[in-house]
Amino acid sequence: MLFRIEQSDIGNQTPADTLASTSATAAGVSSKVQLLLCGNWQLGHTPDSETLIAAIPADCNSIALATNELQHWDSSLAVTLLQLARWCEQKQIALDTSATPETLQQLLNLATAIPPYQPVTNTNEISLLARLQKTIFGQGEGLARTLIFIGDISLAFTHWLRGNAKTRSQDIFFFIEQVGPRALAIVTLIALLVGMILAYLGSVQLRQLGAQVYVADLVAIGMVREMGALMTAVIMAGRTGAAYAAQLGTMQVNEEIDALKTMGISAMEFLVLPRLLALVFIMPLLCIYADVVGMLGGALVATSMDVNFSQYILQTQGAVDLMDILAGLIKSVFFGVLIAIAGCQAGIECGRNSDAVGMAATNAVVRAIVYLVVADAAFNILYDKLGI
């Protein structure tokens, strides 16, 4: 047996104390016991905590540990005593560990320094009105943070125009390379397929009327005014916006942004502005490239419907004018700004752990896509009102 339960020693008590103790025990009042640990308490040879707890008298109110006969022990003893300590805490029983080895006391103190996790249980259901108010307030705070972020970017851009910003030109060119040439492959694939999809959708109706040649008009207008800019922006939101959030989020976790602030360097000017300028410069070029590739994709479908390639080119030239091209380019510039704002804000507001970096990247993509759809709808309404 690795432990014994004994009643506390009362041999040193006075006759009056002994009589009082005997009377209290006879009356059913709780008493103090001593838990003697002996032998080797090592992994695989120790009794479980239930056996130890079951041996403790039900009427005790205090337990004193004694380790005079304890030989070798390891962490399994500390685990058993920790479970005993928590049981004593629940039963409001005093546990005295002063006679145990100092190292064992340190382990127990370390384990009991923080109470075990207890999930918060709220029996009162939150009303629908309270949930709605919480949601509205949360959205309002998010909108306020976004407006403050936009204001900080505007100030940084003003300083850059005046030549006072701490924005390095090599950083701008570096990010232009990252978001431009390295994105050509995915932009080519998506734009080509979108052009072919538009052509197939139009051919279903136009073929019934014998007007297959007007597929060129459909593809050209659709790509130049709408799909070229929007699909390129969606691609860049998933590719570049998430990358911006992950980069800045990792810097936030590593406290690099705090180090820049300590040195008096604005994170907006040094980190955010180069990324925003790179997207603003490169998005119109990618938009034009996507327009051309999408028209070529439509040409592949049109030639399969007995439409001559020369006819397709001439029809495209007659369908698209300069205003249509400018309408798409203006969209692309604003889309680039929105993607940079969504990605950089998510990265700057990232938490301090690795999980927060992934959440920041996810939030950047979701925000960017929402911004793009809302902005695209606003632009279409504006163009319609202006007759563009």
Side-chain angles (χ1 to χ4, degrees), residues 236-268:
M236 300 306 289
R239 181 186 180 277
T240 304
Y244 284 178
Q247 292 168 4
L248 296 177
T250 303
M251 295 179 71
Q252 188 72 268
V253 172
N254 295 334
E255 299 182 354
E256 298 176 31
I257 297 179
D258 295 336
L260 289 176
K261 294 179 180 178
T262 303
M263 293 185 293
I265 300 176
S266 173
M268 291 293 173

mmCIF file of all heavy atoms in Angstrom, residues 236-268:
data_model
loop_
_atom_site.group_PDB
_atom_site.id
_atom_site.type_symbol
_atom_site.label_atom_id
_atom_site.label_comp_id
_atom_site.label_asym_id
_atom_site.label_seq_id
_atom_site.Cartn_x
_atom_site.Cartn_y
_atom_site.Cartn_z
ATOM 1 N N MET A 236 -7.473 39.887 -57.799
ATOM 2 C CA MET A 236 -6.485 40.592 -56.987
ATOM 3 C C MET A 236 -6.896 40.633 -55.518
ATOM 4 O O MET A 236 -6.043 40.671 -54.627
ATOM 5 C CB MET A 236 -6.290 42.007 -57.526
ATOM 6 C CG MET A 236 -5.798 42.053 -58.969
ATOM 7 S SD MET A 236 -4.293 41.099 -59.236
ATOM 8 C CE MET A 236 -3.117 42.119 -58.379
ATOM 9 N N ALA A 237 -8.206 40.627 -55.247
ATOM 10 C CA ALA A 237 -8.656 40.596 -53.858
ATOM 11 C C ALA A 237 -8.259 39.285 -53.193
ATOM 12 O O ALA A 237 -7.804 39.264 -52.038
ATOM 13 C CB ALA A 237 -10.166 40.790 -53.787
ATOM 14 N N GLY A 238 -8.434 38.171 -53.912
ATOM 15 C CA GLY A 238 -8.059 36.882 -53.351
ATOM 16 C C GLY A 238 -6.563 36.649 -53.330
ATOM 17 O O GLY A 238 -6.048 35.964 -52.439
ATOM 18 N N ARG A 239 -5.859 37.216 -54.298
ATOM 19 C CA ARG A 239 -4.417 36.975 -54.388
ATOM 20 C C ARG A 239 -3.619 38.013 -53.617
ATOM 21 O O ARG A 239 -2.787 37.681 -52.769
ATOM 22 C CB ARG A 239 -3.996 36.984 -55.863
ATOM 23 C CG ARG A 239 -2.528 36.721 -56.096
ATOM 24 C CD ARG A 239 -2.176 36.890 -57.556
ATOM 25 N NE ARG A 239 -0.764 36.626 -57.780
ATOM 26 C CZ ARG A 239 0.214 37.502 -57.599
ATOM 27 N NH1 ARG A 239 -0.106 38.733 -57.169
ATOM 28 N NH2 ARG A 239 1.471 37.188 -57.812
ATOM 29 N N THR A 240 -3.851 39.281 -53.895
ATOM 30 C CA THR A 240 -3.032 40.352 -53.338
ATOM 31 C C THR A 240 -3.587 40.869 -52.017
ATOM 32 O O THR A 240 -2.828 41.148 -51.089
ATOM 33 C CB THR A 240 -2.935 41.503 -54.347
ATOM 34 O OG1 THR A 240 -2.426 40.987 -55.579
ATOM 35 C CG2 THR A 240 -2.010 42.589 -53.842
ATOM 36 N N GLY A 241 -4.910 41.029 -51.918
ATOM 37 C CA GLY A 241 -5.486 41.520 -50.673
ATOM 38 C C GLY A 241 -5.184 40.604 -49.502
ATOM 39 O O GLY A 241 -4.810 41.054 -48.410
ATOM 40 N N ALA A 242 -5.321 39.290 -49.719
ATOM 41 C CA ALA A 242 -4.997 38.337 -48.653
ATOM 42 C C ALA A 242 -3.513 38.356 -48.336
ATOM 43 O O ALA A 242 -3.115 38.212 -47.168
ATOM 44 C CB ALA A 242 -5.442 36.936 -49.065
ATOM 45 N N ALA A 243 -2.673 38.522 -49.368
ATOM 46 C CA ALA A 243 -1.227 38.580 -49.130
ATOM 47 C C ALA A 243 -0.855 39.805 -48.299
ATOM 48 O O ALA A 243 -0.030 39.722 -47.378
ATOM 49 C CB ALA A 243 -0.484 38.599 -50.464
ATOM 50 N N TYR A 244 -1.455 40.947 -48.605
ATOM 51 C CA TYR A 244 -1.196 42.150 -47.810
ATOM 52 C C TYR A 244 -1.588 41.931 -46.350
ATOM 53 O O TYR A 244 -0.847 42.308 -45.428
ATOM 54 C CB TYR A 244 -1.980 43.328 -48.379
ATOM 55 C CG TYR A 244 -1.412 43.920 -49.649
ATOM 56 C CD1 TYR A 244 -2.056 44.968 -50.298
ATOM 57 C CD2 TYR A 244 -0.228 43.440 -50.201
ATOM 58 C CE1 TYR A 244 -1.538 45.520 -51.461
ATOM 59 C CE2 TYR A 244 0.287 43.987 -51.357
ATOM 60 C CZ TYR A 244 -0.371 45.021 -51.990
ATOM 61 O OH TYR A 244 0.145 45.570 -53.137
ATOM 62 N N ALA A 245 -2.758 41.341 -46.139
ATOM 63 C CA ALA A 245 -3.213 41.108 -44.764
ATOM 64 C C ALA A 245 -2.281 40.154 -44.031
ATOM 65 O O ALA A 245 -1.960 40.365 -42.854
ATOM 66 C CB ALA A 245 -4.640 40.562 -44.775
ATOM 67 N N ALA A 246 -1.838 39.087 -44.709
ATOM 68 C CA ALA A 246 -0.942 38.126 -44.067
ATOM 69 C C ALA A 246 0.416 38.746 -43.760
ATOM 70 O O ALA A 246 0.992 38.515 -42.690
ATOM 71 C CB ALA A 246 -0.781 36.897 -44.956
ATOM 72 N N GLN A 247 0.946 39.547 -44.696
ATOM 73 C CA GLN A 247 2.248 40.182 -44.464
ATOM 74 C C GLN A 247 2.203 41.142 -43.279
ATOM 75 O O GLN A 247 3.028 41.066 -42.360
ATOM 76 C CB GLN A 247 2.681 40.923 -45.731
ATOM 77 C CG GLN A 247 3.017 40.024 -46.904
ATOM 78 C CD GLN A 247 3.149 40.793 -48.202
ATOM 79 O OE1 GLN A 247 3.054 42.015 -48.227
ATOM 80 N NE2 GLN A 247 3.375 40.078 -49.295
ATOM 81 N N LEU A 248 1.237 42.046 -43.293
ATOM 82 C CA LEU A 248 1.140 43.021 -42.207
ATOM 83 C C LEU A 248 0.723 42.360 -40.894
ATOM 84 O O LEU A 248 1.150 42.781 -39.817
ATOM 85 C CB LEU A 248 0.147 44.123 -42.585
ATOM 86 C CG LEU A 248 0.542 44.975 -43.793
ATOM 87 C CD1 LEU A 248 -0.545 45.991 -44.111
ATOM 88 C CD2 LEU A 248 1.863 45.680 -43.550
ATOM 89 N N GLY A 249 -0.112 41.321 -40.985
ATOM 90 C CA GLY A 249 -0.494 40.608 -39.775
ATOM 91 C C GLY A 249 0.688 39.909 -39.122
ATOM 92 O O GLY A 249 0.829 39.911 -37.895
ATOM 93 N N THR A 250 1.544 39.302 -39.933
ATOM 94 C CA THR A 250 2.745 38.671 -39.389
ATOM 95 C C THR A 250 3.674 39.703 -38.768
ATOM 96 O O THR A 250 4.280 39.460 -37.712
ATOM 97 C CB THR A 250 3.478 37.908 -40.505
ATOM 98 O OG1 THR A 250 2.583 36.953 -41.096
ATOM 99 C CG2 THR A 250 4.686 37.174 -39.949
ATOM 100 N N MET A 251 3.794 40.855 -39.395
ATOM 101 C CA MET A 251 4.600 41.920 -38.811
ATOM 102 C C MET A 251 3.994 42.412 -37.496
ATOM 103 O O MET A 251 4.725 42.765 -36.561
ATOM 104 C CB MET A 251 4.719 43.079 -39.796
ATOM 105 C CG MET A 251 5.467 42.736 -41.072
ATOM 106 S SD MET A 251 5.567 44.114 -42.223
ATOM 107 C CE MET A 251 6.705 45.177 -41.351
ATOM 108 N N GLN A 252 2.681 42.413 -37.416
ATOM 109 C CA GLN A 252 2.037 42.803 -36.158
ATOM 110 C C GLN A 252 2.316 41.777 -35.067
ATOM 111 O O GLN A 252 2.570 42.136 -33.905
ATOM 112 C CB GLN A 252 0.526 42.930 -36.385
ATOM 113 C CG GLN A 252 -0.250 43.510 -35.229
ATOM 114 C CD GLN A 252 -0.016 44.988 -35.044
ATOM 115 O OE1 GLN A 252 0.873 45.382 -34.286
ATOM 116 N NE2 GLN A 252 -0.790 45.809 -35.729
ATOM 117 N N VAL A 253 2.269 40.493 -35.431
ATOM 118 C CA VAL A 253 2.551 39.447 -34.449
ATOM 119 C C VAL A 253 3.997 39.536 -33.968
ATOM 120 O O VAL A 253 4.289 39.369 -32.782
ATOM 121 C CB VAL A 253 2.257 38.062 -35.057
ATOM 122 C CG1 VAL A 253 2.735 36.950 -34.132
ATOM 123 C CG2 VAL A 253 0.770 37.910 -35.336
ATOM 124 N N ASN A 254 4.914 39.794 -34.877
ATOM 125 C CA ASN A 254 6.333 39.899 -34.518
ATOM 126 C C ASN A 254 6.707 41.254 -33.921
ATOM 127 O O ASN A 254 7.899 41.506 -33.684
ATOM 128 C CB ASN A 254 7.207 39.642 -35.751
ATOM 129 C CG ASN A 254 7.057 38.228 -36.267
ATOM 130 O OD1 ASN A 254 6.719 37.316 -35.516
ATOM 131 N ND2 ASN A 254 7.292 38.030 -37.556
ATOM 132 N N GLU A 255 5.713 42.128 -33.735
ATOM 133 C CA GLU A 255 5.912 43.454 -33.137
ATOM 134 C C GLU A 255 6.829 44.343 -33.976
ATOM 135 O O GLU A 255 7.468 45.257 -33.445
ATOM 136 C CB GLU A 255 6.462 43.329 -31.706
ATOM 137 C CG GLU A 255 5.533 42.572 -30.776
ATOM 138 C CD GLU A 255 6.060 42.486 -29.356
ATOM 139 O OE1 GLU A 255 7.208 42.924 -29.128
ATOM 140 O OE2 GLU A 255 5.334 41.974 -28.489
ATOM 141 N N GLU A 256 6.903 44.085 -35.267
ATOM 142 C CA GLU A 256 7.714 44.933 -36.142
ATOM 143 C C GLU A 256 7.056 46.295 -36.359
ATOM 144 O O GLU A 256 7.747 47.309 -36.485
ATOM 145 C CB GLU A 256 7.939 44.225 -37.479
ATOM 146 C CG GLU A 256 8.707 42.918 -37.359
ATOM 147 C CD GLU A 256 8.838 42.197 -38.692
ATOM 148 O OE1 GLU A 256 8.891 42.892 -39.727
ATOM 149 O OE2 GLU A 256 8.873 40.963 -38.714
ATOM 150 N N ILE A 257 5.735 46.314 -36.422
ATOM 151 C CA ILE A 257 5.031 47.584 -36.588
ATOM 152 C C ILE A 257 5.217 48.450 -35.350
ATOM 153 O O ILE A 257 5.394 49.674 -35.455
ATOM 154 C CB ILE A 257 3.547 47.328 -36.890
ATOM 155 C CG1 ILE A 257 3.393 46.573 -38.220
ATOM 156 C CG2 ILE A 257 2.757 48.632 -36.923
ATOM 157 C CD1 ILE A 257 1.973 46.249 -38.597
ATOM 158 N N ASP A 258 5.196 47.828 -34.170
ATOM 159 C CA ASP A 258 5.450 48.590 -32.940
ATOM 160 C C ASP A 258 6.869 49.150 -32.934
ATOM 161 O O ASP A 258 7.102 50.266 -32.444
ATOM 162 C CB ASP A 258 5.241 47.695 -31.724
ATOM 163 C CG ASP A 258 3.790 47.249 -31.574
ATOM 164 O OD1 ASP A 258 2.912 47.970 -32.099
ATOM 165 O OD2 ASP A 258 3.534 46.213 -30.957
ATOM 166 N N ALA A 259 7.805 48.387 -33.482
ATOM 167 C CA ALA A 259 9.186 48.880 -33.547
ATOM 168 C C ALA A 259 9.283 50.095 -34.465
ATOM 169 O O ALA A 259 10.016 51.055 -34.163
ATOM 170 C CB ALA A 259 10.112 47.771 -34.037
ATOM 171 N N LEU A 260 8.547 50.081 -35.584
ATOM 172 C CA LEU A 260 8.557 51.240 -36.476
ATOM 173 C C LEU A 260 7.990 52.475 -35.772
ATOM 174 O O LEU A 260 8.538 53.579 -35.905
ATOM 175 C CB LEU A 260 7.747 50.931 -37.735
ATOM 176 C CG LEU A 260 8.357 49.937 -38.732
ATOM 177 C CD1 LEU A 260 7.375 49.667 -39.861
ATOM 178 C CD2 LEU A 260 9.659 50.476 -39.288
ATOM 179 N N LYS A 261 6.902 52.278 -35.033
ATOM 180 C CA LYS A 261 6.317 53.407 -34.317
ATOM 181 C C LYS A 261 7.276 53.939 -33.260
ATOM 182 O O LYS A 261 7.349 55.150 -33.021
ATOM 183 C CB LYS A 261 4.998 52.983 -33.672
ATOM 184 C CG LYS A 261 3.903 52.632 -34.673
ATOM 185 C CD LYS A 261 2.637 52.197 -33.968
ATOM 186 C CE LYS A 261 1.542 51.837 -34.974
ATOM 187 N NZ LYS A 261 0.307 51.366 -34.303
ATOM 188 N N THR A 262 8.008 53.039 -32.610
ATOM 189 C CA THR A 262 8.971 53.469 -31.600
ATOM 190 C C THR A 262 10.073 54.325 -32.221
ATOM 191 O O THR A 262 10.553 55.295 -31.607
ATOM 192 C CB THR A 262 9.584 52.244 -30.908
ATOM 193 O OG1 THR A 262 8.535 51.453 -30.336
ATOM 194 C CG2 THR A 262 10.556 52.654 -29.815
ATOM 195 N N MET A 263 10.455 53.986 -33.455
ATOM 196 C CA MET A 263 11.488 54.758 -34.147
ATOM 197 C C MET A 263 10.939 56.014 -34.804
ATOM 198 O O MET A 263 11.679 56.738 -35.479
ATOM 199 C CB MET A 263 12.182 53.884 -35.198
ATOM 200 C CG MET A 263 13.005 52.751 -34.598
ATOM 201 S SD MET A 263 13.930 51.824 -35.840
ATOM 202 C CE MET A 263 12.590 51.055 -36.738
ATOM 203 N N GLY A 264 9.654 56.276 -34.651
ATOM 204 C CA GLY A 264 9.060 57.474 -35.223
ATOM 205 C C GLY A 264 8.718 57.358 -36.693
ATOM 206 O O GLY A 264 8.555 58.381 -37.371
ATOM 207 N N ILE A 265 8.599 56.135 -37.219
ATOM 208 C CA ILE A 265 8.271 55.904 -38.624
ATOM 209 C C ILE A 265 6.799 55.537 -38.728
ATOM 210 O O ILE A 265 6.327 54.617 -38.050
ATOM 211 C CB ILE A 265 9.152 54.797 -39.225
ATOM 212 C CG1 ILE A 265 10.627 55.195 -39.137
ATOM 213 C CG2 ILE A 265 8.763 54.512 -40.678
ATOM 214 C CD1 ILE A 265 11.579 54.120 -39.615
ATOM 215 N N SER A 266 6.075 56.242 -39.568
ATOM 216 C CA SER A 266 4.652 55.985 -39.745
ATOM 217 C C SER A 266 4.445 54.684 -40.514
ATOM 218 O O SER A 266 4.996 54.497 -41.600
ATOM 219 C CB SER A 266 3.984 57.148 -40.492
ATOM 220 O OG SER A 266 2.649 56.837 -40.819
ATOM 221 N N ALA A 267 3.642 53.782 -39.930
ATOM 222 C CA ALA A 267 3.344 52.525 -40.615
ATOM 223 C C ALA A 267 2.534 52.766 -41.883
ATOM 224 O O ALA A 267 2.658 52.021 -42.860
ATOM 225 C CB ALA A 267 2.587 51.588 -39.669
ATOM 226 N N MET A 268 1.710 53.804 -41.888
ATOM 227 C CA MET A 268 0.924 54.119 -43.078
ATOM 228 C C MET A 268 1.830 54.516 -44.243
ATOM 229 O O MET A 268 1.612 54.095 -45.377
ATOM 230 C CB MET A 268 -0.064 55.254 -42.762
ATOM 231 C CG MET A 268 -1.172 54.852 -41.829
ATOM 232 S SD MET A 268 -2.276 53.655 -42.603
ATOM 233 C CE MET A 268 -3.319 53.228 -41.201
#
